[in-house]
């Protein structure tokens, strides 16, 4: 029987020479393909020795490191479900994810072990390991005693491989369940569509707890047997320095904006580069054009979601049109519908819906929510609003979901408003996204005080910082007498966005 474990496909693409460099780090370490093979075997054996139930979740909140990458691969290899968590999440956020996902294994950094393990044990997790970005931690200590031989566990295409939490527009985050088949189909399509070649080298500069860095970038390189230049953190100077040794780079728009601020970004520096990919947030046409002028390269913009991995892409050969996200990828059906559920004419705006082998299996333990997000004929409602021009290029013009994308991270206003509304003296609040030169968009808060209460914007921000991941914190907080409302009494967020649109201009 064919093994549909995603790891089996990635493993099969390793080059013949297992001693060649697979990952080169910014601290001067070289990991060979054999290292990846052996270490993932050892970690997979460790996980399997824990006697975990079928479909057990392995929740991981650790700094970026090659060992963290190995842990992801080992989880696949052992047939368990990987649950990556943003390192910026604080205790309330982690408590929710662990409580909701009920992982059998939690891996965290040593400095967080005290509070993370408390949360994990309370939720019934029996195994909590540490892993730090200096190749230390109890996970590695334990794995060191395990065999480096391991047979990849048999998985079906529909078996779960990962759960990615994506915040809900109302209430709490939903776990998008992705299968081995979802991810492998997407990786294979992109390998072809972006014309990955022998000898390609990827600069990996993104975090590894979201689709872009974890799936698009890592699967892309591995399924092509390509070396990665692994940067623990995005550092524009270091990226520019490494460009001559690389052929492929992937980033959210903020990374391109920051790279353009580097005088060293020249045609000469990009002489060996083949492909620059952007996504996760809208790429401004100014950035697209300036990049072309500075480097001679045309950024390829693509569009995707946690629930679907990649959906559309500008072409590799053929015109890459700035401001568009290109065409639906092979195998993806994409349509634009009006509110009545009818297709809109070419060039007109409507809701984007998609279907394909990459579309997720539903939200973890939320069958109702899952049903709501699919149409009767099986299309997933992306919550993005867009149009398709006469040549078939798709443009995202907005979002029907109330979501701010800041530097490639999603911020859900409802979540932040909930925290602000719980503060003493607050009557109501509204969080909206406004344009920002570096992050593309950032959140700001507009707050009304209860009668007689005195509020201070700075204090509200300070309180939020103590509770939430840093990227979610509104960059400014205004105390006002009233919020603009429509005749139904609903807050007009578009009016607030308009009022504050020049705040960071
Ligand atoms: C950091 N800060 C931010 C953000 N990042 N504020 C708003 N939005 C952000 N994204 C703030 C911190 O709160 C902090 O503020 C200050 O900036 C410095 O923090 P630091 O962590 O040092 O920032 P940085 O290292 O400069 O990070 C910026 C970054 C990072 C490199 C652009 O945000 C990043 O890696 N973004 C990529 C996200 C990503 O991978 N997205 C893919 C999602 P203070 O000092 O006040 O505390 S996958 C996806 O969306 C789909 C499927 C897709 O299509 O790919
Ligand atoms: P997430 O679920 O965190 O992966 O975020 C997915 C959302 O990011 C999508 O629904 C879009 O709103 C947005 N997105 C991703 N890529 C692009 C892009 N190239 N242009 C505009 N929006 C994008």
């Amino acid at each position: 029987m064919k093994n549909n474990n995603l790891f089996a496909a990635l493993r099969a693409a390793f080059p013949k020479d297992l001693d060649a460099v697979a990952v080169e780090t910014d601290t001067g370490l070289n990991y060979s393909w054999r290292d990846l093979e052996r270490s993932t075997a050892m970690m997979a054996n460790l996980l399997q020795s824990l006697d975990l139930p079928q479909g057990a979740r392995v929740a991981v909140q650790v700094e970026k490191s090659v060992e963290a990458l190995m842990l992801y691969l080992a989880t696949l290899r052992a047939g368990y479900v990987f649950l990556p968590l943003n390192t910026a999440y604080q205790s309330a956020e982690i408590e929710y994810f662990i409580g909701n996902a009920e992982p059998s294994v939690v891996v965290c950094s040593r400095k967080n072990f005290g509070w993370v393990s408390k949360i994990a044990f309370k939720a019934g997790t029996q195994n909590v390991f540490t892993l730090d970005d200096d190749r230390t931690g109890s996970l590695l200590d334990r794995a060191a005693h395990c065999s480096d031989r391991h047979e990849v566990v048999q998985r079906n295409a529909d078996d779960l491989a990962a759960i990615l939490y994506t915040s809900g527009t109302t209430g709490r985050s939903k776990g998008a369940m992705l299968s081995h088949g979802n991810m492998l189909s997407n990786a294979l399509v992109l390998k072809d569509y972006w014309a990955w070649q022998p000898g390609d080298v990827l600069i990996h500069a993104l975090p590894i707890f979201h689709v872009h860095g974890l799936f698009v970038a890592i699967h892309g390189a591995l399924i092509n047997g390509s070396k990665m230049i692994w940067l623990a953190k995005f550092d524009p100077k270091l990226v520019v320095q490494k460009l001559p040794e690389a052929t492929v780079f992937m980033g959210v728009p903020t990374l391109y904006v920051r790279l353009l601020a580097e005088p060293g970004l020249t045609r000469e520096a990009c002489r060996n580069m083949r492909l620059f990919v952007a996504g996760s947030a809208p790429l401004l046409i100014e950035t697209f054009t300036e990049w072309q002028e500075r480097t001679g390269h045309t950024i390829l913009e693509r569009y995707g979601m946690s629930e679907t991995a990649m959906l559309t892409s500008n072409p590799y050969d053929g015109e890459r049109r700035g401001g568009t996200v290109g065409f639906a990828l092979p195998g993806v059906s994409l349509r634009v519908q009006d509110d009545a559920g009818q297709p809109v004419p070419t060039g007109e705006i409507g809701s984007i819906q998609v279907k394909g082998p990459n579309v997720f299996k539903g939200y973890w333990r939320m069958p109702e929510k899952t049903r709501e997000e699919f149409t009767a004929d099986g299309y997933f409602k992306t919550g993005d609003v867009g149009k398709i021009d006469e040549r078939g290029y798709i443009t995202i013009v907005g979002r029907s979901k109330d979501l701010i994308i800041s530097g490639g991270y999603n911020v859900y206003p409802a979540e932040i408003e909930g925290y602000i509304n719980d503060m003493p003296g607050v009557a109501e609040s509204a969080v909206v996204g406004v344009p920002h030169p570096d992050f593309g968009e950032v959140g700001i808060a507009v707050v009304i005080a209860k009668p007689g209460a005195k509020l201070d914007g700075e204090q509200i921000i300070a309180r939020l910082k103590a509770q939430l991941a840093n990227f979610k914190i509104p960059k400014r907080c205004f105390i006002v007498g009233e919020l603009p409302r429509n005749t139904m009494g609903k807050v007009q967020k578009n009016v607030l966005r308009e009022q504050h649109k020049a705040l960071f201009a």
Side-chain angles (χ1 to χ4, degrees):
M1 199 171 91
K2 183 169 180 265
N3 189 354
N4 287 299
N5 189 316
L6 168 64
F7 181 81
L10 299 176
R11 171 69 186 79
F14 283 14
K16 274 205 185 67
D17 178 9
L18 287 181
D19 292 317
V21 177
V23 187
E24 174 194 312
T25 71
D26 49 5
T27 51
L29 294 175
N30 283 332
Y31 292 76
S32 68
W33 296 93
R34 195 183 305 284
D35 292 332
L36 287 193
E37 162 57 23
R38 291 184 55 220
S39 303
T40 57
M42 291 160 87
M43 286 189 203
N45 280 322
L46 168 61
L47 291 174
Q48 281 185 264
S49 73
L50 302 174
D51 223 5
L52 310 177
Q54 269 270 39
R57 278 78 58 206
V58 177
V60 178
Q61 189 197 31
V62 296
E63 294 299 330
K64 183 174 175 182
S65 68
V66 180
E67 288 67 30
L69 159 67
M70 289 165 167
L71 174 58
Y72 164 57
L73 297 174
T75 305
L76 294 176
R77 185 171 186 155
Y80 299 119
V81 180
F82 193 71
L83 197 175
L85 294 165
N86 194 318
T87 45
Y89 291 148
Q90 300 202 43
S91 58
E93 291 154 316
I94 293 296
E95 191 166 5
Y96 172 74
F97 295 122
I98 291 184
N100 189 255
E102 296 182 345
S104 299
V105 180
V106 169
V107 185
C108 64
S109 51
R110 205 171 339 188
K111 72 175 187 335
N112 295 340
F113 180 79
W115 63 268
V116 174
S117 61
K118 219 164 158 185
I119 291 171
F121 294 140
K122 200 174 120 201
T125 304
Q126 297 200 338
N127 307 283
V128 182
F129 295 105
T130 58
L131 176 62
D132 278 326
D133 55 2
D134 58 356
R135 291 183 292 150
T136 63
S138 60
L139 181 88
L140 299 178
D141 294 344
R142 288 281 298 276
H145 299 286
C146 297
S147 161
D148 62 359
R149 308 195 75 120
H150 175 269
E151 195 165 330
V152 180
V153 169
Q154 190 80 26
R155 290 285 91 175
N156 294 321
D158 280 339
D159 287 335
L160 285 198
I163 297 181
L164 291 200
Y165 274 87
T166 146
S167 303
T169 35
T170 55
R172 307 299 293 217
S173 278
K174 303 166 289 188
M177 301 188 289
L178 291 155
S179 68
H180 287 263
N182 288 149
M183 300 207 277
L184 181 56
S185 65
N186 211 235
L188 290 171
V189 164
L190 293 176
K191 173 172 162 32
D192 216 36
Y193 209 77
W194 294 344
W196 280 87
Q197 297 165 12
D200 267 336
V201 175
L202 171 82
I203 296 182
H204 193 300
L206 286 164
I208 55 169
F209 36 69
H210 289 304
V211 164
H212 202 159
L214 185 64
F215 300 154
V216 189
I218 289 174
H219 297 167
L222 294 183
I223 201 103
N224 193 53
S226 277
K227 174 173 133 179
M228 288 189 267
I229 297 177
W230 189 260
L231 310 187
K233 246 180 112 46
F234 170 69
D235 168 354
K237 280 197 172 40
L238 191 53
V239 171
V240 169
Q241 193 190 318
K242 291 286 174 192
L243 281 173
E245 298 165 37
T247 63
V248 183
F249 177 80
M250 296 184 191
V252 301
T254 300
L255 270 51
Y256 287 96
V257 170
R258 292 187 182 183
L259 283 167
L260 280 168
E262 286 302 317
L265 180 78
T266 58
R267 282 176 188 247
E268 175 60 14
C270 298
R271 63 190 176 276
N272 293 323
M273 287 297 293
R274 183 176 72 72
L275 182 61
F276 289 97
V277 179
S280 307
L283 181 73
L284 290 182
I285 192 76
E286 292 81 0
T287 312
F288 176 86
T289 311
E290 202 184 330
W291 193 270
Q292 251 173 348
E293 285 161 6
R294 278 279 286 287
T295 69
H297 285 269
T298 305
I299 296 174
L300 179 152
E301 187 173 2
R302 87 323 177 260
Y303 152 66
M305 291 183 74
S306 300
E307 288 92 334
T308 63
M310 296 304 100
L311 290 165
T312 77
S313 171
N314 269 280
Y316 182 71
D317 293 313
E319 188 194 352
R320 299 178 196 162
R321 293 189 120 182
T324 83
V325 293
F327 310 111
L329 287 166
V332 174
S333 309
L334 183 147
R335 68 188 185 192
V336 181
Q337 292 214 330
D338 62 18
D339 290 344
Q342 295 303 312
V344 300
T346 302
E348 289 195 15
I349 291 169
S351 307
I352 298 179
Q353 300 180 350
V354 296
K355 201 178 198 172
N358 50 316
V359 175
F360 73 137
K361 302 290 158 203
Y363 295 111
W364 171 254
R365 290 183 182 161
M366 287 188 186
E368 277 294 294
K369 192 77 206 154
T370 303
R371 260 193 301 280
E372 276 169 31
E373 300 300 327
F374 281 87
T375 62
D377 59 347
Y379 278 76
F380 172 62
K381 303 174 195 167
T382 63
D384 291 310
V385 174
K387 59 182 181 181
I388 308 180
D389 70 16
E390 66 296 336
R391 292 172 59 194
Y393 285 87
I394 298 154
T395 302
I396 312 287
V397 300
R399 299 183 278 266
S400 59
K401 47 196 173 191
D402 190 12
L403 159 71
I404 300 164
I405 303 186
S406 185
Y409 287 138
N410 290 3
V411 180
Y412 280 84
E415 183 186 12
I416 319 303
E417 289 159 4
Y419 276 88
I420 299 176
N421 295 346
D422 281 346
M423 292 181 192
V426 171
E428 199 182 349
S429 65
V431 171
V432 294
V434 296
H436 189 272
D438 183 30
F439 294 121
E441 196 180 16
V442 293
I444 59 157
V446 186
V447 181
I448 309 182
K450 279 186 180 149
K454 237 184 126 30
L455 293 176
D456 177 80
E458 299 281 319
Q459 261 175 25
I460 290 178
I461 288 188
R463 277 172 174 248
L464 287 173
K465 278 191 177 174
Q467 295 174 290
L468 287 166
N470 60 5
F471 63 88
K472 295 181 187 171
I473 309 302
K475 299 289 182 213
R476 299 282 289 276
C477 178
F478 300 99
I479 313 298
V480 297
E482 58 184 331
L483 291 167
R485 291 175 196 280
N486 65 15
T487 47
M488 310 287 287
K490 197 167 177 272
V491 176
Q492 290 172 302
K493 289 201 163 176
N494 53 333
V495 173
L496 289 174
R497 276 191 284 270
E498 188 58 30
Q499 276 172 3
H500 296 285
K501 71 176 182 201
L503 204 53
F504 301 100

